[in-house]
Amino acid sequence: MKQKVGIIYSSVDGHTLKICKKLCDVFNEQQIQVELYAVDDFKANLADFHTVVIGASIRYGKHSDKIFEFLKQHKQSLSRIKTAFFSVNLVARKEDKNSPDTNPYMIKFLKKTNWKPDFISVFAGKLDYKSYSFLDKLMIKLIMKLTHGPTKTEKPIEFTNWERVVAFGREICEDYHKSNYLNQEEV
């Protein structure tokens, strides 16, 4: 029996949500039913999903506590289904920090949660000084200065490699179709 894919996200400025919507497009193109939830709004039964994708952004070097709470609360249920996780952060704009094995936030997250998702990825986020509060703007400029990033820009800079986002979605789709094919063979 075909099941749906669930995407659960935590986003500060909306860019993680934009990535989730792109993943929804990929799943829809593959005729996979998908449901999208903010982590605060998730009330569904995880057993209804073939795969759950969790996406979370970084702010001030941390993923949202709500993502950690969600994983802790649903650890058993998540262990019974396919899972995927992606992190969105500006450090991933750097070639040597844009993979799960090299991104410090992903490494720290996986170690802290002791969770082993079936699929993991890291995507660079968006820098938009005009949309930040005064304090956020100061802090992000300081972080950018320390990491040799842009500290002055009139327009938002989107560092996301959308081809990598699509490839991540397709990898999940391939596994979804393969497991549904194998399940039909068993019947």
Side-chain angles (χ1 to χ4, degrees):
M1 179 174 92
K2 287 192 175 189
Q3 293 176 303
K4 56 195 167 190
V5 170
I7 301 177
I8 301 165
Y9 70 92
S10 168
S11 187
V12 178
D13 298 311
H15 197 69
T16 301
L17 174 58
K18 184 176 180 180
I19 292 170
C20 290
K21 287 180 178 179
K22 184 66 171 178
L23 289 171
C24 285
D25 292 343
V26 173
F27 297 134
N28 286 327
E29 287 170 9
Q30 293 289 314
Q31 280 125 32
I32 297 172
Q33 184 184 350
V34 61
E35 293 180 5
L36 179 63
Y37 303 90
V39 68
D40 292 335
D41 299 334
F42 184 81
K43 304 281 188 271
N45 182 350
L46 287 171
D48 292 339
F49 296 95
H50 175 276
T51 305
V52 169
V53 180
I54 298 174
S57 61
I58 291 289
R59 182 54 62 99
Y60 301 138
K62 291 176 39 181
H63 289 97
S64 167
D65 288 339
K66 292 177 182 185
I67 291 294
F68 291 105
E69 291 168 22
F70 179 87
L71 291 172
K72 186 176 179 182
Q73 181 182 354
H74 298 284
K75 188 174 184 167
Q76 293 288 47
S77 297
L78 289 168
S79 70
R80 295 185 195 110
I81 60 174
K82 295 280 185 161
T83 57
F85 176 73
F86 68 89
S87 177
V88 180
N89 57 77
L90 287 171
V91 170
R93 76 188 187 283
K94 296 182 164 197
E95 194 67 34
D96 64 337
K97 304 273 191 242
N98 70 0
S99 75
D101 296 333
T102 62
N103 187 272
Y105 299 121
M106 178 64 83
I107 293 166
K108 183 178 171 183
F109 178 85
L110 293 174
K111 185 181 260 189
K112 182 176 179 178
T113 60
N114 197 29
W115 179 42
K116 295 184 180 16
D118 299 288
F119 307 94
I120 54 175
S121 197
V122 177
F123 305 120
K126 180 174 103 174
L127 182 64
D128 184 6
Y129 288 120
K130 287 186 176 185
S131 72
Y132 303 144
S133 70
F134 178 75
L135 180 60
D136 283 347
K137 191 180 302 185
L138 283 177
M139 294 300 291
I140 293 169
K141 281 187 177 194
L142 174 63
I143 292 166
M144 284 290 119
K145 184 174 178 126
L146 294 172
T147 61
H148 308 289
T151 57
K152 293 181 183 175
T153 175
E154 290 299 312
K155 295 181 179 178
I157 302 172
E158 202 171 272
F159 293 102
T160 309
N161 179 331
W162 292 101
E163 290 173 7
R164 286 185 62 203
V165 173
V166 169
F168 181 64
R170 286 184 178 153
E171 181 182 10
I172 295 166
C173 290
E174 188 177 309
D175 178 77
Y176 174 91
H177 288 306
K178 181 180 173 184
S179 65
N180 274 308
Y181 175 78
L182 291 173
N183 286 341
Q184 289 174 352
E185 290 285 302
E186 290 174 3
V187 174

